[in-house]
Amino acid sequence: MKSDRDIANDILAHAIDGDIDRANAILDTTLAVKRQSSFRAHSAKYLVALFCLVVICLGIDALDGHIIDHL
């Protein structure tokens, strides 16, 4: 996989050669991939936070005795 610097060098090389359409296509593809990966990273953080919140709420409910009373 190419690093960010390699991708930037590739885009710049295409732009210098006059192939602006190809440079824009690479840039669009790179931005789309970066947006998807950042969304996945953020969604994983939210999933972990939600899981922790559920565990805390269940722990408080268990300490209060409501779950044990229902069982």
Side-chain angles (χ1 to χ4, degrees):
M1 186 170 167
K2 290 184 176 181
S3 69
D4 290 342
R5 182 177 290 268
D6 293 335
I7 294 170
N9 287 338
D10 194 27
I11 292 170
L12 184 61
H14 283 289
I16 289 173
D17 290 340
D19 193 6
I20 302 298
D21 292 334
R22 178 72 178 144
N24 283 337
I26 295 171
L27 184 60
D28 288 340
T29 303
T30 303
L31 289 175
V33 168
K34 294 289 182 183
R35 284 186 194 126
Q36 289 175 352
S37 64
S38 68
F39 177 73
R40 288 184 189 139
H42 289 299
S43 63
K45 290 177 188 176
Y46 290 132
L47 184 61
V48 169
L50 181 65
F51 178 75
C52 291
L53 185 62
V54 167
V55 168
I56 290 170
C57 289
L58 286 175
I60 290 172
D61 197 35
L63 289 175
D64 193 28
H66 290 287
I67 292 176
I68 295 170
D69 292 341
H70 290 295
L71 293 177

